[in-house]
């Protein structure tokens, strides 16, 4: 009987639950140390090691940091979709990573939180002003990076621009996906008088609907157009046309 009572007592005695292990911080001191090591390496001689450190130890923290800031502050005046805004913010952090100096006592988490937040606030406020003051024709130009400052010549210029891009798309792009996006952009330029909403976000939606292609690929083509556009604006301002008249002789 004594043995049985002992067993019953043993069954009733329970161990106190231990403390749950703390979750690992996504941007702790190990990330700060990685940033310090990254900055200490030579950009030319140690690019491979820098890429490895960034990809494995820094990028996940930057990605989560930007995600949290965007979701917390709910910035309302970005034309780009959420993913693009986050990628642009991460890219801004990377380009400014060399400015971080741990010897000044600032924690990397606090430092880059402020950098990311200020970047987003600055662009959000700029976009807000743009929404308040835009006109139809200037907004479509700005959305595509097309703002030559000469409104009176835009209609003539855009006609030549469409012809130029139509002729040169096959030489500018080799990938079928990029070519499809390029012709979709040209089609929107042709139908500019029919489009009610000219902001960048709306244009991207239209292009996605026309091509079923992701925004990142659309951005790639738009950036190529914008680069070409700058040289064409300079040519138009210099000689009054972007058409090579020598082709007709």
């Amino acid at each position: 009987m004594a043995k049985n009572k002992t067993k019953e007592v043993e069954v009733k005695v329970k161990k106190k639950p231990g403390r749950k292990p703390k979750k690992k911080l996504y941007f702790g001191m190990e990330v700060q140390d990685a940033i310090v090591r990254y900055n200490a390496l030579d950009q030319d001689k140690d690019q491979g090691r820098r890429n490895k450190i960034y990809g494995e130890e820094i990028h996940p923290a930057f990605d989560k940091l930007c995600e949290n800031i965007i979701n917390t502050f709910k910035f309302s005046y970005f034309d780009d979709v959420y993913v693009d805004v986050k990628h642009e913010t991460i890219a801004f952090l990377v380009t400014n990573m060399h400015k971080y100096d741990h010897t000044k006592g600032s924690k990397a988490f606090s430092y880059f939180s402020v950098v990311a937040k200020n970047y987003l606030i600055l662009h959000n406020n700029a976009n807000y002003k743009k929404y308040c003051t835009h006109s139809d024709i200037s907004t479509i130009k700005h959305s595509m990076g097309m703002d030559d400052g000469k409104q009176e010549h835009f209609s003539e210029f855009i006609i030549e621009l469409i012809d130029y891009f139509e002729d040169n798309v096959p030489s500018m792009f080799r990938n079928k996906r990029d070519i499809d996006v390029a012709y979709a952009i040209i089609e929107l330029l042709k139908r500019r008088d029919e489009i009610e909403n000219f902001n960048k976000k709306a244009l991207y939606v239209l292009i996605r609907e026309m091509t079923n292609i992701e925004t990142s690929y659309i951005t790639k083509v738009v950036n190529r157009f914008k680069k070409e556009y700058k040289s064409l604006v300079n040519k138009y301002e210099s000689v009054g046309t972007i058409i090579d008249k020598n082709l007709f002789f």
Side-chain angles (χ1 to χ4, degrees), residues 215-233:
T215 301
S216 57
Y217 298 116
I218 297 173
T219 301
K220 173 187 172 184
V221 176
V222 169
N223 288 340
R224 178 70 177 86
F225 271 175
K226 288 165 69 174
K227 183 178 180 181
E228 191 77 13
Y229 172 82
K230 291 179 181 179
S231 64
L232 294 174
V233 167

Side-chain angles (χ1 to χ4, degrees), residues 98-116:
H98 67 284
K99 297 179 181 179
Y100 173 68
D101 185 356
H102 69 289
T103 62
K104 293 183 178 180
S106 174
K107 299 294 184 184
F109 173 76
S110 300
Y111 178 86
F112 287 102
S113 294
V114 172
V115 171

